[in-house]
Amino acid sequence: MTHAAVPSERAGSPLDRPVLPSGAEPARGARRLGVRIQGAVIGDRVYSTAITLFALCVPVLMILIALEIFIAGWPALRQFGFSFLTSSAWDPVNGAFGAAPAIYGTLVSSAIALAISTPLAIGVAIFLSEFAPQWLRQPVAFLVDLLAAVPSVVYGLWGIFVLIPILRTAVMPFLRDTLHLGVLPFFSGPAYGPSMLAAGLILSVMVLPYISSVSREVLLAVPRSQREAALALGATKWETIWGAVLPYAKSGIIGGVILGLGRALGETMAVTMLIGNRPQISASLFAPGYTMASLIANEFSEASGDLHLSALMAVGFVLFVITLIVNAVARWLVWQVSRGSAGKSA
Amino acid sequence: MTAPSPAASPAPPARWSGVYPAAARAGKLRRRHAVNAVMAGLVGVAAILATLPLVIVLFYLLKQGVASLQWHFFTNMPKPVGESGGGMANAIVGTLMLIGTASVIGLPVGIGAGLYLAEHRGSRLANTTRFLADVLNGLPSIVMGIFAWQILVRPVGHFSAWAGGVALAAMMIPQVARTTEEIVRTVPVSLREAALALGYAHWRTSLTVVLRTATAGVVTGALVAIARIAGETAPLLFTAFGNQFWSTSLNQPVAALPLQIYTYALSPYDDWHSQAWAGALVLIALILIISLIARVATRGRFATASD
């Protein structure tokens, strides 16, 4: 309000009045100015209240989500207690609810996704920030970002009609029989098609852009001097990256991977369409499974009773808490790096 | 620097005296350059492997989608199994309705929150909001769906377009807030100071000078958020629910393209499968067009806007 305060003091000051020859004109002018200033004061107050309220919407939304879902899931959590997380009996007909198969499926499918996409995504990020010629960087980065723009349901559609037939007729028999990996429990059993493997593969495609874009940003934030110092010591390009750039960017890249993990844990549609939706724990990746998100997506609209509904809400709450923690950790790590690099370059 | 040290460690005295065997050094160097070349090749292969799925998915979408994409797809209603000539007119309109509702709620709140974040950078509320916005951004969309069901469908007793719009708006708010903040921060302080010095009120400066300068970036952020929610299915499963009939009432369940694709993809009928492909092609085209507009709108001026 400093800009408005200056003229107001002059116009409103009683010292000004005697100096002026006529009393009427400045009084009218002062009144008009006063109205304008008052308008500005009111406008400012309305504006700052409004944006503060808008900003408050975010924490309020967060608290509302947590509360509403917790309250809705409370009956099931109270009835089953801790065994809700450890029991593998998901039997709506008999009113027994244990989320263990869904939690297991969520963790395994996300693990497959990260195991495949992490090296690829970091490779892409290194390629884009260090090796690629200037003209290639934007287009390739755009294509990789586009992977994130494809809707989940489209990945699911593609998975059902293209990926699963290939897995069932070619990849699964190849892994099990030709490579004789069938002796391992992970690659044994009949090849259904809809399976943990299919879900993990589609998830790896879906989380890759998130990991690679965070990694790329973090790599680009590494100060030039870090690279120049290594190069000046006679290091090759790869030695520079491995020895000077990656260690510097490490925690940011880990943050990106954890961010990808958060996406994989909560991904719903593509997984629901590909994982086979069976509440069982099986070591074989060829067997169908369930994830927390797909369990909710599948059973919510035809829940058979209040307890079933409450159990699904409780699963939602568990998913909420897990992704909340994962995302908070990831953000913290990424911020750590960006703040560190900002501090060092300044 | 891991690599140079083993080269130096075996015979440091020899190296100091200048009789480090040249042949050994050349061999080491050749090996180091070979590693460099191999790794450069590997990251290149990673880049190809990463873009390959996109190419394959788009290829199948075009191949399967174009075949079943005819004019009646846009103008007709879904037909029962066995009758050909069905379309997704209601789903296309439903998707546009849901996007509209979500934007009307989500954009003002998101942009307002972004302005607050940019103007009160260090305040406690700003730091909390910024962090929670980032965390909210990463929450699974299905969680937004059951949340909206709990507050808007359960009390009323029926599904509605409203609930779907609110679920999508809840996803937009944190994202729009963060992109708006980033863009508004790039507006030079001198611009704000100049307006204030001319006697502009604070609110007027923020809205007509600062926000207006950042318009292109804010619009991009909004479009990116719209492109993201346009394809969302999970938040709509128990809110908008889907509808086989024509409905433009916000208080009724409404059809949406992603929901229709989901239902048709899981159905056992070939005709519905090809409809699902056509729907997916239309959906992807819609999203790509929005993303491209977003990219073109800010080309050059706010390079960081689209990221």
Side-chain angles (χ1 to χ4, degrees):
Chain A
M1 284 311 306
T2 43
H3 59 289
V6 178
S8 87
E9 239 169 61
R10 227 180 53 199
S13 166
L15 290 175
D16 280 352
R17 243 168 237 171
V19 187
L20 294 163
S22 149
E25 260 182 42
R28 209 194 304 141
R31 214 179 300 135
R32 212 185 295 141
L33 194 60
V35 169
R36 256 184 61 193
I37 291 163
Q38 226 170 18
V41 170
I42 293 169
D44 278 358
R45 207 162 281 164
V46 169
Y47 171 75
S48 80
T49 313
I51 62 170
T52 310
L53 284 179
F54 286 148
L56 268 173
C57 278
V58 173
V60 167
L61 188 62
M62 193 75 172
I63 294 166
L64 260 183
I65 293 173
L67 266 184
E68 287 288 347
I69 297 180
F70 177 74
I71 290 169
W74 177 240
L77 287 173
R78 192 183 48 195
Q79 178 159 348
F80 300 107
F82 194 69
S83 74
F84 184 74
L85 300 178
T86 55
S87 160
S88 58
W90 185 272
D91 187 359
V93 180
N94 295 316
F97 296 100
I103 296 173
Y104 170 83
T106 306
L107 296 179
V108 171
S109 58
S110 302
I112 299 172
L114 285 190
I116 297 169
S117 66
T118 305
L120 277 179
I122 296 176
V124 174
I126 293 175
F127 177 75
L128 288 176
S129 69
E130 314 288 336
F131 282 106
Q134 219 32 264
W135 58 269
L136 199 61
R137 292 184 183 194
Q138 277 297 323
V140 174
F142 179 65
L143 283 181
V144 175
D145 284 348
L146 266 189
L147 277 177
V150 176
S152 181
V153 71
V154 173
Y155 278 119
L157 178 74
W158 181 79
I160 287 180
F161 295 110
V162 182
L163 182 65
I164 282 185
I166 294 174
L167 283 180
R168 190 174 48 214
T169 57
V171 177
M172 286 176 173
F174 176 77
L175 285 172
R176 188 184 53 201
D177 305 327
T178 316
L179 291 181
H180 295 291
L181 288 174
V183 291
L184 296 171
F186 315 116
F187 301 108
S188 60
Y192 285 108
S195 59
M196 203 67 100
L197 185 66
L201 280 174
I202 208 81
L203 274 178
S204 72
V205 175
M206 299 180 74
V207 300
L208 189 138
Y210 293 98
I211 303 178
S212 81
S213 79
V214 173
S215 303
R216 188 168 60 103
E217 261 166 54
V218 170
L219 287 176
L220 289 174
V222 173
R224 272 178 72 107
S225 55
Q226 196 79 6
R227 295 186 179 86
E228 285 163 1
L231 289 171
L233 285 173
T236 63
K237 195 149 194 178
W238 174 253
E239 287 163 357
T240 306
I241 294 164
W242 187 250
V245 177
L246 283 180
Y248 195 97
K250 192 170 65 188
S251 62
I253 294 177
I254 293 173
V257 173
I258 297 176
L259 219 57
L261 173 66
R263 290 277 162 186
L265 292 172
E267 188 46 62
T268 312
M269 298 319 294
V271 174
T272 308
M273 293 163 92
L274 299 183
I275 202 167
N277 299 323
R278 192 181 294 172
Q280 62 175 20
I281 295 181
S282 165
S284 174
L285 300 182
F286 294 174
Y290 235 145
T291 68
M292 289 189 269
S294 68
L295 180 63
I296 300 170
N298 239 339
E299 297 192 355
F300 198 86
S301 44
E302 44 216 45
S304 55
D306 283 347
L307 189 63
H308 191 184
L309 206 59
S310 172
L312 288 169
M313 280 291 193
V315 171
F317 185 70
V318 174
L319 182 62
F320 171 80
V321 171
I322 293 177
T323 46
L324 189 77
I325 295 170
V326 164
N327 275 293
V329 170
R331 283 297 162 196
W332 185 75
L333 281 170
V334 175
W335 276 14
Q336 215 62 7
V337 171
S338 48
R339 204 180 306 153
S341 72
K344 265 162 210 165
S345 64
Chain B
M1 289 317 306
T2 47
S5 50
S9 56
R15 194 179 177 190
W16 292 122
S17 58
V19 288
Y20 189 78
R25 207 167 58 190
K28 268 261 145 65
L29 197 63
R30 212 173 306 136
R31 204 180 60 84
R32 288 170 54 202
H33 278 295
V35 169
N36 186 48
V38 168
M39 294 316 291
L42 279 181
V43 296
V45 169
I48 294 170
L49 280 179
T51 44
L52 206 58
L54 181 77
V55 176
I56 299 175
V57 168
L58 290 183
F59 167 76
Y60 273 97
L61 272 180
L62 285 172
K63 188 180 139 203
Q64 307 275 5
V66 169
S68 40
L69 193 61
Q70 280 138 16
W71 183 243
H72 61 67
F73 180 84
F74 296 98
T75 55
N76 283 11
M77 297 288 293
K79 293 254 168 91
V81 183
E83 268 184 66
S84 60
M88 289 197 188
N90 59 338
I92 295 170
V93 171
T95 286
L96 295 178
M97 265 169 65
L98 288 167
I99 293 176
T101 314
S103 303
V104 166
I105 303 168
L107 289 182
V109 178
I111 293 173
L115 280 173
Y116 181 89
L117 289 180
E119 289 185 18
H120 303 261
R121 231 167 267 186
S123 79
R124 196 128 153 238
L125 176 59
N127 286 336
T128 315
T129 299
R130 190 175 300 121
F131 184 71
L132 288 182
D134 279 346
V135 173
L136 265 182
N137 247 337
L139 279 191
S141 51
I142 187 103
V143 169
M144 294 296 187
I146 56 175
F147 165 69
W149 180 86
Q150 174 75 7
I151 61 164
L152 288 172
V153 175
R154 193 175 214 177
V156 185
H158 62 84
F159 301 106
S160 65
W162 262 120
V166 169
L168 295 179
M171 299 187 63
M172 284 179 91
I173 290 170
Q175 196 182 350
V176 172
R178 291 291 276 127
T179 46
T180 304
E181 182 201 0
E182 299 284 326
I183 299 307
V184 168
R185 272 189 185 194
T186 63
V187 176
V189 188
S190 52
L191 216 61
R192 176 187 292 272
E193 285 170 350
L196 290 175
L198 286 173
Y200 258 45
H202 183 83
W203 66 275
R204 196 169 256 200
T205 310
S206 291
L207 291 181
T208 61
V209 177
V210 177
L211 192 58
R212 191 144 173 229
T213 311
T215 305
V218 172
V219 168
T220 299
L223 287 174
V224 169
I226 289 173
R228 178 176 161 218
I229 60 153
E232 279 294 345
T233 318
L236 303 179
L237 283 172
F238 332 116
T239 52
F241 193 69
N243 195 336
Q244 285 297 311
F245 304 101
W246 185 263
S247 169
T248 49
S249 160
L250 282 178
N251 207 22
Q252 293 295 321
V254 72
L257 268 178
L259 285 173
Q260 204 86 337
I261 296 168
Y262 176 59
T263 319
Y264 279 14
L266 293 182
S267 76
Y269 314 112
D270 281 343
D271 181 42
W272 281 15
H273 292 167
S274 57
Q275 294 258 326
W277 282 106
L281 185 63
V282 171
L283 185 62
I284 270 271
L286 180 73
I287 290 170
L288 285 187
I289 289 169
I290 300 173
S291 311
L292 278 178
I293 295 174
R295 225 150 238 271
V296 171
T298 52
R299 186 183 287 162
R301 282 182 64 195
F302 290 94
T304 53
S306 48
D307 291 342

